[in-house]
Amino acid sequence: MSIQIPRGTQDLLPGEIELWQYIEEKAKDICRRYNYQEIRTPIFEHTDLFQRGVGDTTDIVQREMYTFEDRGNRSLTLRPEGTAGVARSYVEKKMYGHANQPTKLYYNGPMFRYERPQSGRMRQFVQFGVEAIGSADPAIDAEVLALAMSMYGELGLTDVKLILNSLGDQESRTSHRQALIDHFKPSINEFCEDCQARLEKNPLRILDCKKDREHPLMASAPSILDYLNEESAEYFKKVRLILDKLGINYEVDPTLVRGLDYYYHTAFEIMADGEGFGAITTLCGGGRYTGLVEELGGPSTPGIGFAFSIERLIMALKAKGLVDSPVSKLDCFVVALGEEAKDKSAELLYQLRKAGISADKDYLDRKMKAQFKAADRLGATYTAILGEDELSNKKINVKNMVTGEQKEIDLDDFINYMSEQITGGK
Ligand code: HAM
């Protein structure tokens, strides 16, 4: 029996991968302009990191982690998100001691969540994310939000919505927490088991429950914005003020709580605002965290970041018709006829490639016509024809497939000539 790909995962093949590369390059270039540097952390970490970092009352930790024991009986988990690993590394590598602060990092890699697969919800997906750790300046919140919005804007996705909320500081959260307990407690037995368990541990999570979403007490739940103390309200105001100055539109939604426990103050999501997108409309999520670095053994350090999956970004681009079918092109295909010409073509290819030109040849002993067809399929800009006659005259025939122009070139000049054509001799 043949073996199939695991549910919720996908193969990315040539033809599709070019779009991924384009998006990844674009995202990296935006990070470069915002002065964020790349970090790569392991794909698996100690399970404890996510229990403490993401929070053990979250859906992610309670039912979505790929956790396994290694041969040394350690409990390890395939990372479900990137922030906890980055914060772990920040503490372990003592990045807080570096002169340049805040520490501004970005990452791009696979994450794993045991979710029910559907369009836009994978078990393995690729997150591109950023974290700015070490500053509690509202301007850095605005910077991170601007960076997130640029990712969409620069790819042409302009009708996305930035949804913003503040979860307040510790004091604000504590008074809001009590208000939530008072609100839900009298009727908590009408809620699911998870919510019942969350009531005392983390009542904010109740607002994020997928099962009890329609319960009337959800809509009337106390709003965090009414419980922000002066400092938190001021912080939120400042973030919005800077966004206004940058001309970045947003909507404040006090019900936005996010699915992870580490957020304080600014929390946000970017939503697709288009038709044909199905049930999942959240493209990107993030926010500010305060206790995470400390929880992982570092000094009390605030951070802010976000992540989006490239899968959902591509869905949004496709829904908007913003994806041109990507073409990968070849500069030169060498058509060789006869044993000696074939040997020579291997040498020419090697030199072309060294000169920065993408080049290929036939490896299936095809006839001339079939070799031309192969060149055509590969989208070759030039074909260079080397037959026995050409070889004995030390010549090669170069055809520009776009203009149809054909030229006989001295074999010794061939690489220079091609460099001139392709790279302008640079
Ligand atoms: P999150 O909201 O859990 O936040 O995930 C962020 C983004 O990852 C989502 O908006 C979505 O684009 C993508 N995503 C999540 N789950 C899936 C899935 N099953 N399939 C496809 N895409 C998915 C975080 O992960 C935080 N670490 C973000 C953050 C960074 N907060 C601060 N810094």
Side-chain angles (χ1 to χ4, degrees):
M1 209 179 85
S2 63
I3 297 177
Q4 288 174 348
I5 194 168
R7 275 191 80 200
T9 67
Q10 65 175 332
D11 296 317
L12 291 170
L13 307 183
E16 176 85 7
I17 201 75
E18 289 80 358
L19 178 60
W20 281 70
Q21 289 165 342
Y22 167 70
I23 290 169
E24 285 167 348
E25 283 315 310
K26 189 87 190 159
K28 284 178 189 174
D29 183 57
I30 294 172
C31 286
R32 180 189 60 77
R33 282 182 267 145
Y34 277 79
N35 193 30
Y36 286 66
Q37 289 178 312
E38 186 174 4
I39 180 169
R40 297 187 192 186
T41 61
I43 280 172
F44 58 83
E45 298 265 5
H46 291 290
T47 303
D48 202 29
L49 172 69
F50 303 113
Q51 281 165 343
R52 286 203 271 155
V54 176
D56 52 17
T57 54
T58 58
D59 274 355
I60 294 180
V61 169
Q62 285 186 344
R63 49 180 148 258
E64 292 174 2
M65 295 208 300
Y66 280 92
T67 297
F68 59 98
E69 265 193 16
D70 73 2
R71 287 166 193 271
N73 301 324
R74 294 169 203 92
S75 178
L76 298 171
T77 294
L78 298 183
R79 61 183 185 192
E81 58 96 54
T83 311
V86 170
R88 194 252 328 121
S89 176
Y90 176 85
V91 173
E92 198 168 341
K93 295 294 180 320
K94 299 192 172 56
M95 290 184 221
Y96 46 81
H98 293 180
N100 281 340
Q101 296 298 341
T103 303
K104 303 207 290 186
L105 301 165
Y106 76 85
Y107 49 88
N108 178 37
M111 306 291 160
F112 306 85
R113 295 185 192 177
Y114 191 78
E115 297 199 80
R116 213 154 46 95
Q118 61 187 97
S119 158
R121 182 168 287 152
M122 311 282 296
R123 289 186 172 165
Q124 174 175 330
F125 54 97
V126 174
Q127 270 190 352
F128 196 102
V130 316
E131 311 294 341
I133 311 178
S135 165
D137 185 340
I140 199 104
D141 299 42
E143 173 178 288
V144 165
L145 286 160
L147 200 168
M149 289 301 277
S150 304
M151 297 281 177
Y152 298 93
E154 293 200 15
L155 288 164
L157 263 177
T158 42
D159 49 358
V160 293
K161 269 198 295 195
L162 172 59
I163 312 288
L164 203 58
N165 190 19
S166 170
L167 303 176
D169 62 5
Q170 186 66 51
E171 188 186 75
S172 314
R173 283 177 61 136
T174 306
S175 49
H176 181 232
R177 186 192 136 89
Q178 195 50 53
L180 285 172
I181 295 177
D182 296 344
H183 178 77
F184 286 113
K185 201 168 188 170
S187 319
I188 194 65
N189 50 15
E190 294 166 20
F191 285 76
C192 72
E193 264 178 37
D194 286 333
C195 284
Q196 295 184 18
R198 286 163 177 156
L199 182 71
E200 297 293 336
K201 262 185 125 176
N202 191 351
L204 197 65
R205 274 277 76 75
I206 297 177
L207 300 179
D208 203 29
C209 179
K210 287 165 195 146
K211 283 189 217 145
D212 292 319
R213 205 194 313 239
E214 302 300 330
H215 194 287
L217 282 185
M218 289 292 211
S220 59
S223 160
I224 177 68
L225 295 181
D226 296 329
Y227 290 83
L228 294 184
N229 60 16
E230 216 184 306
E231 217 183 309
S232 301
E234 194 51 39
Y235 194 97
F236 192 36
K237 200 170 135 197
K238 195 77 199 283
V239 174
R240 286 176 314 187
L241 195 82
I242 305 172
L243 288 177
D244 291 340
K245 285 201 172 146
L246 300 181
I248 294 176
N249 295 328
Y250 54 84
E251 271 174 35
V252 175
D253 178 357
T255 65
L256 178 81
V257 295
R258 307 276 301 120
L260 304 87
D261 274 354
Y262 44 61
Y263 296 109
Y264 284 86
H265 288 295
T266 314
F268 68 95
E269 286 184 352
I270 297 175
M271 317 283 283
D273 199 11
E275 283 162 28
F277 205 74
I280 294 169
T281 51
T282 304
L283 297 178
C284 171
R288 175 163 281 285
Y289 40 91
T290 309
L292 181 61
V293 173
E294 212 174 346
E295 174 69 36
L296 301 176
S300 168
T301 317
I304 178 161
F306 69 80
F308 63 84
S309 68
I310 298 189
E311 286 84 351
R312 284 194 198 169
L313 172 57
I314 288 179
M315 274 181 69
L317 289 171
K318 285 188 175 163
K320 284 281 151 197
L322 289 168
V323 181
D324 291 333
S325 61
V327 271
S328 65
K329 277 184 39 203
L330 190 72
D331 295 328
C332 181
F333 190 93
V334 179
V335 173
L337 298 159
E339 218 35 51
E340 234 182 299
K342 275 193 214 152
D343 292 348
K344 183 68 184 171
S345 69
E347 202 186 309
L348 293 175
L349 276 190
Y350 184 64
Q351 287 164 2
L352 284 170
R353 290 162 175 169
K354 274 218 286 204
I357 297 163
S358 64
D360 213 342
K361 70 188 273 293
D362 166 66
Y363 289 103
L364 297 176
D365 210 10
R366 282 182 280 216
K367 302 242 169 1
M368 182 153 85
K369 206 168 154 203
Q371 290 194 37
F372 271 110
K373 268 198 181 153
D376 209 38
R377 272 197 304 272
L378 293 170
T381 315
Y382 289 87
T383 37
I385 306 122
L386 189 65
E388 272 155 14
D389 287 351
E390 282 93 353
L391 196 58
S392 58
N393 296 331
K394 292 201 168 22
K395 299 276 184 196
I396 187 162
N397 237 308
V398 179
K399 183 170 180 189
N400 183 324
M401 304 299 278
V402 184
T403 62
E405 193 192 346
Q406 201 157 339
K407 252 190 170 175
E408 202 172 55
I409 309 286
D410 282 343
L411 208 45
D412 290 343
D413 282 344
F414 175 56
I415 306 297
N416 278 344
Y417 176 79
M418 287 307 300
S419 293
E420 199 65 43
Q421 302 304 309
I422 302 294
T423 62
K426 273 178 243 152

